[in-house]
Amino acid sequence: MAGKYSNKINRIRTFALSLVFIGFFVMYIGIFFKTNMLLMTLFMILGLLCIIGSTAVYLWIGIISTRAVQVVCPSCGKVTKVLGRVDMCMFCNEPLTMDRSLAGKEFDESYNHKKES
């Protein structure tokens, strides 16, 4: 039931990188429609929009990353950034928390969401 967890910053960076590759792939699809100028232009513009979107995501995560709390991972001893109440170490995937009430509990990303009453 539990999926593989990873650091939030790394997950968002991976999404932005995948947008770049998706954009290139969409542009290459446009090459197959050289005879239809409208379709080729449409695919080229969609690919460009994906790449521009990835640039925006990289900018956004860069801004968030500068405000993230830096902690030393107790497992590997490297400095890592924590977003939210719970997160994973960027290097060894050790669960980390800044909330003392969650110390010792099993890792669950739902701790980052506000509970609705």
Side-chain angles (χ1 to χ4, degrees), residues 25-36 39-44:
F25 182 71
V26 169
M27 287 179 162
Y28 278 121
I29 291 173
I31 292 175
F32 293 114
F33 296 105
K34 286 181 189 176
T35 57
N36 189 342
L39 274 178
M40 184 179 86
T41 305
L42 179 70
F43 278 109
M44 292 294 173

Side-chain angles (χ1 to χ4, degrees), residues 1 5-6 9 13 15 30 43 47 62 68 73 79 82 90 101 115:
M1 185 163 135
Y5 296 110
S6 67
I9 293 174
R13 286 178 181 161
F15 171 71
F43 278 109
C73 177
V79 177
V82 175
M90 289 180 164
S101 66
K115 294 179 181 174

Side-chain angles (χ1 to χ4, degrees), residues 2-111:
K4 181 174 180 327
Y5 296 110
S6 67
N7 183 272
K8 289 183 203 93
I9 293 174
N10 286 344
R11 242 185 302 173
I12 297 170
R13 286 178 181 161
T14 301
F15 171 71
L17 182 62
S18 66
L19 274 178
V20 171
F21 288 117
I22 290 169
F24 284 140
F25 182 71
V26 169
M27 287 179 162
Y28 278 121
I29 291 173
I31 292 175
F32 293 114
F33 296 105
K34 286 181 189 176
T35 57
N36 189 342
M37 199 58 132
L38 183 65
L39 274 178
M40 184 179 86
T41 305
L42 179 70
F43 278 109
M44 292 294 173
I45 290 173
L46 286 175
L48 181 65
L49 288 176
C50 286
I51 293 172
I52 290 171
S54 76
T55 304
V57 172
Y58 271 122
L59 176 69
W60 173 66
I61 194 60
I63 291 169
I64 289 176
S65 180
T66 59
R67 291 186 277 153
V69 179
Q70 291 186 352
V71 297
V72 177
C73 177
S75 183
C76 66
K78 295 181 180 177
V79 177
T80 188
K81 295 180 180 182
V82 175
L83 289 178
R85 292 174 67 196
V86 293
D87 205 353
M88 298 292 254
C89 175
M90 289 180 164
F91 306 100
C92 67
N93 288 336
E94 175 77 19
L96 301 171
T97 183
M98 297 298 294
D99 191 350
R100 291 181 189 252
S101 66
L102 297 176
K105 291 185 178 179
E106 187 174 338
F107 181 81
D108 189 4
E109 286 186 340
S110 66
Y111 293 139

